[in-house]
């Protein structure tokens, strides 16, 4: 189930980069709400990629014996605490925009996108209200006990794993957005004179 979730996060993050890349240059020039939506999509992609990196790198460290169970759990909780507010905040803007588009176009694809965004937002908000305090408590307990008696090296490993995952997610997002930037033609170059 976790592998399926990670593959879904990877695919959605890639799709977000493709969509944001297509509108990046135009929204940079025009600004406003479309630019905000482009940044929201970029943040969502970075969060998704960082989750895949966190689980992948964390699993390797755990399986090779470099990271005990408590440290792996603390890394996941620390990552969650750091990304839940940006994920929900940017997701709300995307959700509202998808509702507006679905209402205007009434197309099946746009309504399906709005339905998915609604489900994802409800799931994220429910998860945040259910898991945030336990995640904060778990991180606090782990850091206050020096990694459950494992020492400062494990605490540093947890922080480094989370930082590397977040940084990797941001870098991968930036590279993909740049890769897909300009895939939509510049409307000024193709406009017909009237």
């Amino acid at each position: 189930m976790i592998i399926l979730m990670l593959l879904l996060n990877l695919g959605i993050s890639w799709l977000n980069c493709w969509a944001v890349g297509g509108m990046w240059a135009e929204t940079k020039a025009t600004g406003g709400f479309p630019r905000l939506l482009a940044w929201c999509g970029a943040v969502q992609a970075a969060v998704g990629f960082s989750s895949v990196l966190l689980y992948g790198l964390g699993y390797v460290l755990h399986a090779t014996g470099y990271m005990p169970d408590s440290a792996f759990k603390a890394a996941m909780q620390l990552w969650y605490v750091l990304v839940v507010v940006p994920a929900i905040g940017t997701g709300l803007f995307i959700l509202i925009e998808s509702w507006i588009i679905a209402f205007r176009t009434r197309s099946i694809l746009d309504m399906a996108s709005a339905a998915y965004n609604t489900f994802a937002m409800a799931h994220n908000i429910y998860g945040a209200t259910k898991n945030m305090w336990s995640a904060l408590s778990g991180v606090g307990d782990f850091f206050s006990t020096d990694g459950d008696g494992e020492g400062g090296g494990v605490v540093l490993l947890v922080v480094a794993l989370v930082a590397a995952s977040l940084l990797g997610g941001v870098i991968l997002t930036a590279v993909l957005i740049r890769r897909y930037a300009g895939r939509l033609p510049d409307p000024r170059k193709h406009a017909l004179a009237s």
Side-chain angles (χ1 to χ4, degrees), residues 32-143:
F33 192 67
R35 186 64 174 169
L36 175 64
L37 286 174
W39 273 105
C40 288
V43 169
Q44 290 285 318
V47 168
F49 285 136
S50 72
S51 72
V52 174
L53 291 170
L54 176 75
Y55 278 91
L57 294 172
Y59 178 77
V60 169
L61 290 170
H62 186 313
T64 57
Y66 289 103
M67 180 172 274
D69 291 341
S70 61
F72 189 38
K73 181 178 179 183
M76 290 186 292
Q77 290 172 329
L78 178 60
W79 173 86
Y80 183 77
V81 166
L82 293 173
V83 302
V84 70
V85 172
I88 289 174
T90 57
L92 280 172
F93 286 108
I94 293 170
L95 173 64
I96 291 166
E97 178 68 5
S98 70
W99 285 345
I100 292 168
I101 290 171
F103 182 77
R104 284 183 184 161
T105 67
R106 301 201 196 282
S107 80
I108 297 294
L109 186 59
D110 290 336
M111 287 190 279
S113 176
Y116 171 80
N117 287 339
T118 302
F119 170 76
M121 182 55 56
H123 179 267
N124 290 342
I125 291 173
Y126 173 75
T129 58
K130 181 181 173 191
N131 301 323
M132 185 59 144
W133 293 115
S134 64
L136 280 170
S137 175
V139 169
D141 290 346
F142 181 80
F143 284 112

Side-chain angles (χ1 to χ4, degrees), residues 12-24:
I12 290 171
S13 296
W14 206 287
L15 185 60
N16 277 341
C17 288
W18 178 80
V20 169
M23 65 180 182
W24 194 256

